[in-house]
């Protein structure tokens, strides 16, 4: 049996495809959802502008008062000390967790388990009342005489207790973040470095750390932002941070909503600055994986403006408005 086929020449097929009308894909539900979102945002902004309950006059009056600025400074101090001390101690705990010694690993695990299990507010109140349990702390022979000591009441005030509680709490989470970043690095990197005879300290500093930072930074930045907003919990110790100071002012004036908006505006502003810093730090440590990183938003904006200027200059004189 013979089968006869009539193949269409390639030229005729391409001519037939060229004659077809190209219809772009339509997404009506996508457009409808976008329009609904825009309407909701517009309604919210209209309410912000027209609802007298927001009381923007009071907001403007208290946004940059001396008491609020001092409270912002206290909040920044708590965040800075809690972050630096927390991540420094967290690095030590992470090193213990990665140690081959079972005793050190158990101690580190117990520390992380304890400080992640106890609520932060309980820890803060405990450290605030440390002098009730221990009048003095010192250095000396275990179960023997003390060589040097100090009075806890004189050293550990309200601010010191808050920094201590925030740092110890932060260290438990920072230790796990750092450990996750370190173990994400391929073990073959260390084997190759050891085969080349590179010292262990240099292996950690020049090979492990730059690669681990890419995994550490996003989670670490989340923790810093969370700590920044979490400093409001030290109001239980009557420390004049931002939220406590706002409470004091609206307790005196009765203007609850505008004073809460003052705190919200400062939290949003400072969190935005922290997020920008996170972006550039992540970009710096991404150089090893991306030889040509994408342009920053600022560079994109400058390129867009330059493109508009060049298009205007290159336009024919009759086409200019």
């Amino acid at each position: 049996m013979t089968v006869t086929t009539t193949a269409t020449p390639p030229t005729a097929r391409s001519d037939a495809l060229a004659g077809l009308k190209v219809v772009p894909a339509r997404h009506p539900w996508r457009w409808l959802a976008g329009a609904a979102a825009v309407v909701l945002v517009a309604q919210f902004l209209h309410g912000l502008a027209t609802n007298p309950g927001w009381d923007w006059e009071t907001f403007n009056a208290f946004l940059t008062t001396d008491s609020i600025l001092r409270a912002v400074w206290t909040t920044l101090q708590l965040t800075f000390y809690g972050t630096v001390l927390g991540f420094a101690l967290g690095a030590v705990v992470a090193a213990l967790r990665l140690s081959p010694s079972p005793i050190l690993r158990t101690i580190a695990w117990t520390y992380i388990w304890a400080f992640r299990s106890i609520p932060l507010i309980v820890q803060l109140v405990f450290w605030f009342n440390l002098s009730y349990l221990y009048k003095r702390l010192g250095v000396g022979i275990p179960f023997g005489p003390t060589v040097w000591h100090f009075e806890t009441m004189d050293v550990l005030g309200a601010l010191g207790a808050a920094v201590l509680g925030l740092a110890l709490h932060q260290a438990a989470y920072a230790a796990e973040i750092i450990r996750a970043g370190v173990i994400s690095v391929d073990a073959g990197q260390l084997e190759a470095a050891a085969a080349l005879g590179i010292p262990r300290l240099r292996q950690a500093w020049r090979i492990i750390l730059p690669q681990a930072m890419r995994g550490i930074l996003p989670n670490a930045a989340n923790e810093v932002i969370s700590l920044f907003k979490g400093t409001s919990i030290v109001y239980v110790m009557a420390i004049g941070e931002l939220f406590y100071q706002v409470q004091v002012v609206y307790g005196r004036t009765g203007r609850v909503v505008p004073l809460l908006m003052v705190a919200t505006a400062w939290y949003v502003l400072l969190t935005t600055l922290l997020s920008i810093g996170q972006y550039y730090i992540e970009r710096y440590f991404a150089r090893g994986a991306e030889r040509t990183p994408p342009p920053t938003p600022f560079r994109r904006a400058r390129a867009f403006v330059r493109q508009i200027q060049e298009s205007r200059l290159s336009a024919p004189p009759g086409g200019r408005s």
Side-chain angles (χ1 to χ4, degrees), residues 194-233:
L196 294 173
I198 299 176
R200 291 182 64 85
L201 183 60
R202 195 173 179 185
Q203 292 176 20
W205 184 254
R206 301 301 298 270
I207 298 175
I208 299 298
L209 185 61
Q211 298 181 73
M213 286 298 287
R214 297 186 60 203
I216 292 173
L217 277 174
N219 295 323
N222 276 341
E223 281 300 316
V224 174
I225 292 173
S226 177
L227 176 65
F228 166 65
K229 292 181 293 185
T231 54
S232 60
I233 204 170

Side-chain angles (χ1 to χ4, degrees), residues 23-308:
V23 179
R26 296 182 176 86
H27 304 283
W29 291 108
R30 187 183 301 174
W31 283 102
L32 187 62
V38 170
V39 171
L40 288 176
V41 172
Q43 279 189 320
F44 177 72
L45 295 177
H46 180 264
L48 282 179
T50 59
N51 189 341
W54 293 106
D55 196 357
W56 294 112
E57 292 183 2
T58 304
F59 172 83
N60 293 328
F62 284 96
L63 182 62
T64 55
T65 56
D66 291 341
S67 60
I68 295 297
L69 293 180
R70 283 196 300 271
V72 171
W73 175 241
T74 303
T75 301
L76 291 175
Q77 284 182 302
L78 290 171
T79 305
F80 176 78
Y81 292 132
T83 300
V84 172
L85 296 177
F87 274 87
L89 181 58
V92 175
V93 177
L96 298 181
R97 280 276 281 157
L98 296 170
S99 169
S101 168
I103 298 176
L104 297 180
R105 284 203 308 270
T106 304
I107 292 173
W109 183 89
T110 306
Y111 176 88
I112 294 170
W113 167 76
F115 280 89
R116 288 198 306 189
S117 303
I118 304 172
L120 177 57
I121 190 169
V122 176
Q123 295 181 39
L124 291 173
V125 175
F126 172 78
W127 294 117
F128 188 57
N129 294 280
L130 183 64
S131 59
Y132 170 75
L133 295 173
Y134 302 100
K135 305 295 183 187
R136 295 177 180 177
L137 291 176
V139 179
I141 300 173
F143 306 104
T146 303
V147 177
W148 174 79
H149 69 272
F150 61 89
E151 301 289 336
T152 54
M153 181 66 77
D154 298 335
V155 175
L156 206 61
L159 189 61
V163 170
L164 180 63
L166 292 173
L168 292 176
H169 180 78
Q170 189 66 32
Y173 292 90
E176 288 298 271
I177 292 173
I178 295 171
R179 188 175 71 90
V182 171
I183 63 178
S184 67
V185 179
D186 187 7
Q189 301 277 337
L190 280 179
E191 295 174 0
L196 294 173
I198 299 176
R200 291 182 64 85
L201 183 60
R202 195 173 179 185
Q203 292 176 20
W205 184 254
R206 301 301 298 270
I207 298 175
I208 299 298
L209 185 61
Q211 298 181 73
M213 286 298 287
R214 297 186 60 203
I216 292 173
L217 277 174
N219 295 323
N222 276 341
E223 281 300 316
V224 174
I225 292 173
S226 177
L227 176 65
F228 166 65
K229 292 181 293 185
T231 54
S232 60
I233 204 170
V234 303
Y235 80 94
V236 296
M237 305 163 74
I239 296 176
E241 51 79 40
L242 181 57
F243 184 63
Y244 178 84
Q245 191 60 40
V246 162
Q247 284 182 307
V248 170
V249 176
Y250 74 60
R252 190 176 65 244
T253 61
R255 305 287 187 178
V256 178
V257 173
L259 267 300
L260 288 178
M261 286 301 294
V262 168
T264 302
W266 278 110
Y267 281 125
V268 169
L269 173 64
L270 296 173
T271 302
T272 303
L273 295 178
L274 289 174
S275 300
I276 293 173
Q278 174 195 355
Y279 172 79
Y280 282 99
I281 294 174
E282 286 187 12
R283 183 182 173 85
Y284 174 80
F285 281 100
R287 292 180 305 170
E290 299 176 357
R291 297 296 181 189
T292 55
T296 62
F298 181 67
R299 288 181 181 175
R300 291 178 186 172
R302 282 202 310 177
F304 180 71
V305 172
R306 191 181 304 117
Q307 185 180 3
I308 293 176

